[in-house]
Amino acid sequence: MSTVRLASITKHFGTTVAVHEFDLEVADGEFVTLLGPSGCGKTTTLRMIAGLVEPTGGRVWFDDQDVTFLPPRARNIGFVFQTPALFPHLSVAENVGFGLSVKGARKAAIASRVEEMLAMVDLTGYGARTPSQLSGGQQQRVALARVLATDPRVLLFDEPLSALDKNLRESLKFAIRELQRRTGKTSIYVTHDQSEAFAISDRIVVMNGGRVEQIGSQTEIYLRPRTGFVAEFIGANNALPGTVVALEPVSGTSGQSGEHRFRIRSGELTLSCRSRLPVALGDAVVAYLRPEDLAVVDDDGAEYRNVVEGEVERVIFEGPTAQLRIRVAGREMRVDVGGSRRLTLTEGDRRVRLGFDDLNVVPADTASADGGSGGSGGSGGDGSAEPVSA
Amino acid sequence: MRSSPALPASPLPAGSRPPAAARRPRLSSRRLWDALSHAYIWAVLVVFILPFLALVGFSFTTRPGEAGVVTNYGYVLDTFGDNLLWSLKISGLTLLINTLVSLPAAYAIVRHSFPGKRLLFSVLTLPLYVPGAVIGISLVLTYNFTYHLTTSMWGLVLAMALGTFPLMLTPVVVALKDLPVIFEEASACLGATRWQTYRRIVLPLIGPGVSAGLLLCFIIVFNEYLVTLFVHPPGLTTAPLRVFNQIRTAGLAPTTAALAVTMQLISLAAVLLFFRLFGARHLKGTYLL
Amino acid sequence: MTGQTRSIAPLRPAPLAVLGRGDAARRLRTLALLLPAILLALLFLYYPLVFIVQMSFTEGSSFLSPGGPIATLANYALIGGRYLPNLLVTLQLALLATIVDLIFGFPFAYIFVRKVRYRTPVRALMVFPMFGALYIAFGMRFILLPGGPATPVLQALGIASTDALFSLPSVVFAMSIFTFPFMVLNIGTALGNVDPTLEEAAACLGARPWQTFRRIVLPLTRAGTVAGALTVFGWSIGTFAEPLLLGSANEQRALAWTVYQRGVVQTDYGLSTAMGVVLLGVAFVVTYLSLRYSRGALVE
């Protein structure tokens, strides 16, 4: 049970920068997830925390102890790998008790602890079996029991569910979270699966290209992405690049504290936006609009801060929702509708009115290079169809 | 003339040739080829084993005036017993040295990174490509003038080790490469020291590979006569060398044949034991297929 | 205006640990692990080889002293002159053994890889040659003894048994038995890498078996075959059991044996080491060529 602190952790592989000055503080008992596409440095960071990789720069602290150069065995951690990595020549019980036996614990103590751990993962009685006799999910549970047996102060997970099939992933991820809650262990979890991260984390660190894009809770990341990458990697989003053309005076009643409103011009549209970040006239920004935040309005839409009109180009019926591709002022936007609207709108409908509130913006230089999309980043998103270009 | 319909080739039972009389009069050429192919394999194998069988037969004969069959092998134990013991001793010591030398080297080669790895591996496996006579002459002269090892058993042991340790290195390297690093990482994260990880996780899991190396080295060293001829200390004659000397001095004798047969039987037993315990796949990359 | 992280002022500055304490310890460990092997090779192979190269340029050596300080090429001249037949015989025997192995080994490898299911018995029998050329030579000598088991067969073929025993063909035959498994292994591996469906495709396209063999199988296995041939050749130049036990005076001039006689028996170290160097030279050329042809280095 420790806090974990990363101070400017950096890793270079030759000339490649895998991780760039990563700062992070994890509270005692917190569950933090590093989320990002493959190659973003999340696994490298995790392995530096574990001591399997030596950082090129920076420091790692567990509580007050500088562990940066300590080998893994001296850090008292639990590391769960992508594959269970159970020792094939040892039984389940011997696997679970391995960490204790290498420290010289007595046989009786090891045996009772092994029982305890197996019970915790619902595998009582499996002690005598060998790993090859277990299913993939059972093996991963034994791996969990194995790392918990040594009572580590930090748990590290390297995409432990990615090798399992979908149903198993669902059940096991909650089991992991449950275990973590029960034992209260500080945990750092790595995944590229957005829904997994959202389901079990206290906080999420979104990473890309070796850098941290944003750290925050699920709602913060989803509703207030700070960079274009986060906006597009998490869920689906419509991207509207534009320029700030008018600032509105700060008023105490406008939205959350510290937020101010302004207008941007994006193509032919003038849109009302808000942000916590300071903006100046002429700044290049990208406004983001989630498909579910657009409402189809029948009246003049006065209750919305923004109203636009467009033509329905495609309707993709998904069951509970329908995705609409609507062309607004020359741009294709994705709108998700539910309820009866799924059935009343058809391709070719013109003059469909859409209303939405103030848009969130990010600086234009943080938007991803392919210039906006509505597709979901990472697997496990809303599983929607092709991206929408702004 | 009515042509019979094409028959599907029936698979031949493993290892057998259907007797010619039972075949249909009209052989499809496919079956003929198959039969010939298998016949060829077996013919070659018979040729392989013919010298051995001949020696077995020879060892069961007696020269006029000598007692009987069993005494040939009894003779082996009596007169050649020393030589057999020497062979076993030298083999054992060589295996020990090879193990101590190649296990660490293999680990460094596979798990550590350093420049010139390929070069180093070539440098270390070079002894395999040097003709035995060259190793022999170079060592005997070096022992004589520089190391002063001509009268020591260790001269012979080290010469054997030098010649065969690449044969041990290769299977161990292969076994280590096949062992996912993740096991060692998991062990380290669970708190084991490097040595504990090696002893409890790596060694057991590369056991078959190491055994393959041991087997190969044993077979070579146990039956070695060429380099031995050059570097053996006076008074120390291994069994194969004894066979060689006997033939050259006393001609062909059933007792010598009995010794040769004994040597081959021991070697064969070692090979079969290995196959039984580990299967043949760990010998990939070596010349036992 | 980049994505903000929660910035923390670190308690201490974070140095770039370029050559931290980890590196030196690691290098030392690597060296320690490699040292026994390197020492063994250096002391017992490389230094001795240097030693004999150096000795090959000396003359007048004896058991007690390595020979005169004057460097001379006399030994090599002798090899080129008086001992040239020895060198030639050695090369000839090795070449013939290689050819025999190629001719008989290729079909064997092909059938083994493509058609044989009962691998274990075959493998068990194929180890026999590995036990050493000595037993093969011994066994064959017995077989070919006049009055021995083979005599009736030979007489039926019209060959006098004395001709068969101490002759070139029997030496070559014994040598090729010993190196046969090497050849089969190399070719077998190469064949194993050839997809059998390629041959089937060729057959469907109308190629006759010989054409398929010549135009598909042979080119694709060329690397393995050449590697095998060169390995066999390299092994064969260093043998003396077969020439000695089965050969006539001509074959007994094989260089490996001459090295022993001149070197250990007659202590003419200059000459014998020069022969050793020549053998080494041939072996190296052959090995270099074979390694260039073989693929799949074991070490990255």
Side-chain angles (χ1 to χ4, degrees), chain C residues 198-267:
Chain C
L198 289 177
E199 296 168 60
E200 290 177 353
C204 289
L205 287 166
R208 287 203 297 275
W210 177 245
Q211 288 176 315
T212 311
F213 182 75
R214 195 169 59 83
R215 301 175 69 168
I216 310 286
V217 179
L218 266 189
L220 286 175
T221 56
R222 199 177 43 146
T225 314
V226 171
L230 291 171
T231 310
V232 165
F233 188 81
W235 271 90
S236 300
I237 58 175
T239 186
F240 61 56
E242 302 100 322
L244 209 54
L245 263 52
L246 294 169
S248 65
N250 179 42
E251 288 79 41
Q252 292 189 12
R253 287 185 290 186
L255 262 184
W257 185 244
T258 319
V259 168
Y260 178 73
Q261 285 196 303
R262 297 286 171 273
V264 177
V265 176
Q266 295 176 351
T267 70

Side-chain angles (χ1 to χ4, degrees), chain B residues 104 106-114 117 194, chain C residues 25-31 33-34:
Chain B
Y107 193 82
I109 289 175
V110 177
R111 292 283 188 249
H112 290 207
S113 71
F114 52 90
K117 226 187 245 197
R194 253 187 299 273
Chain C
R26 234 196 323 270
R27 292 248 155 113
L28 212 57
R29 251 201 311 274
T30 309
L31 189 61
L33 291 175
L34 292 171

Side-chain angles (χ1 to χ4, degrees), chain B residues 224-281:
Chain B
E224 217 282 331
Y225 63 95
L226 211 153
V227 175
T228 313
L229 178 64
F230 281 85
V231 295
H232 74 104
L236 199 169
T237 310
T238 60
L241 185 59
R242 189 72 191 263
V243 170
F244 183 70
N245 288 337
Q246 287 288 105
I247 298 177
R248 296 201 56 234
T249 55
L252 302 189
T255 47
T256 317
L259 180 57
V261 168
T262 310
M263 295 289 288
Q264 290 180 77
L265 283 178
I266 297 178
S267 308
L268 184 66
V271 172
L272 290 179
L273 182 67
F274 181 88
F275 274 8
R276 190 81 205 289
L277 285 176
F278 299 113
R281 55 202 157 87

Side-chain angles (χ1 to χ4, degrees), chain A residues 90-98 110 114-115 118 126-129 142:
Chain A
L90 300 178
S91 69
V92 165
E94 287 170 331
N95 265 281
V96 175
F98 186 78
I110 298 181
V114 167
E115 280 306 308
L118 287 177
Y126 279 70
R129 301 207 192 178
V142 173

Side-chain angles (χ1 to χ4, degrees), chain A residues 11-329:
Chain A
K11 184 63 186 173
H12 295 261
F13 289 113
T15 52
T16 319
V17 180
V19 179
H20 180 84
E21 292 185 12
F22 188 147
D23 294 308
L24 180 67
E25 270 189 56
V26 182
D28 190 7
E30 195 182 5
F31 195 112
V32 169
T33 297
L34 307 181
L35 173 67
S38 42
C40 70
K42 54 193 195 292
T43 299
T44 309
T45 306
L46 194 75
R47 290 168 73 91
M48 286 195 280
I49 301 175
L52 293 168
V53 169
E54 201 174 274
T56 317
R59 291 259 195 256
V60 179
W61 302 79
F62 289 178
D63 286 331
D64 295 330
Q65 189 189 8
D66 181 350
V67 300
T68 318
F69 296 109
L70 275 187
R73 66 172 178 276
R75 299 193 186 197
N76 194 14
I77 53 173
F79 199 107
V80 181
F81 296 84
Q82 213 167 359
T83 62
L86 297 181
F87 306 127
H89 60 299
L90 300 178
S91 69
V92 165
E94 287 170 331
N95 265 281
V96 175
F98 186 78
L100 295 166
S101 89
V102 295
K103 294 278 194 246
R106 280 168 31 249
K107 284 217 167 123
I110 298 181
S112 68
R113 183 87 172 143
V114 167
E115 280 306 308
E116 223 182 290
M117 292 297 117
L118 287 177
M120 222 193 253
V121 296
D122 285 330
L123 282 176
T124 314
Y126 279 70
R129 301 207 192 178
T130 62
S132 56
Q133 294 171 315
L134 303 178
S135 72
Q138 288 171 326
Q139 285 184 15
Q140 202 59 298
R141 279 192 279 157
V142 173
L144 281 172
R146 184 171 71 175
V147 299
L148 287 172
T150 56
D151 195 22
R153 39 186 182 165
V154 176
L155 286 177
L156 304 169
F157 297 87
D158 185 3
E159 304 201 52
L161 306 179
S162 59
L164 303 172
D165 64 58
K166 191 151 191 279
N167 294 331
L168 214 43
R169 258 184 273 162
E170 283 301 308
S171 54
L172 217 48
K173 76 185 175 204
F174 292 118
I176 291 179
R177 180 55 157 152
E178 218 8 74
L179 270 174
Q180 188 264 348
R181 264 197 250 258
R182 265 207 284 171
T183 55
K185 298 207 181 288
T186 314
S187 298
I188 303 178
Y189 191 99
V190 161
T191 183
H192 62 274
D193 184 325
Q194 180 206 318
S195 70
E196 203 171 290
F198 270 48
I200 57 180
S201 322
D202 290 325
R203 265 194 304 156
I204 299 180
V205 178
V206 182
M207 293 180 70
N208 184 35
R211 287 165 199 267
V212 173
E213 295 274 338
Q214 186 169 355
I215 304 180
S217 66
Q218 286 84 328
T219 46
E220 275 169 35
I221 287 180
Y222 190 79
L223 298 176
R224 277 182 288 280
R226 300 253 185 93
T227 71
F229 175 79
V230 177
E232 288 168 31
F233 184 71
I234 310 289
N237 229 333
N238 292 298
L240 300 157
T243 318
V244 177
V245 294
L247 300 172
E248 286 187 25
V250 176
S251 86
T253 55
S254 58
Q256 276 94 342
S257 59
E259 277 196 337
H260 47 272
R261 288 170 160 165
F262 48 95
R263 303 174 95 77
I264 69 170
R265 184 133 189 98
S266 175
E268 293 161 20
L269 302 170
T270 303
L271 303 167
S272 172
C273 308
R274 55 157 173 74
S275 177
R276 276 209 193 101
L277 307 170
V279 292
L281 279 180
D283 278 351
V285 297
V286 181
Y288 280 103
L289 186 53
R290 299 260 178 217
E292 67 270 15
D293 289 336
L294 285 149
V296 178
V297 295
D298 300 315
D299 54 13
D300 63 356
E303 66 268 30
Y304 293 103
R305 300 273 304 167
N306 293 293
V307 178
V308 299
E309 254 185 29
E311 174 183 337
V312 177
E313 284 191 338
R314 278 185 68 177
V315 177
I316 304 165
F317 183 76
E318 288 179 319
T321 54
Q323 277 186 41
L324 308 175
R325 301 300 158 103
I326 298 189
R327 189 156 290 277
V328 175

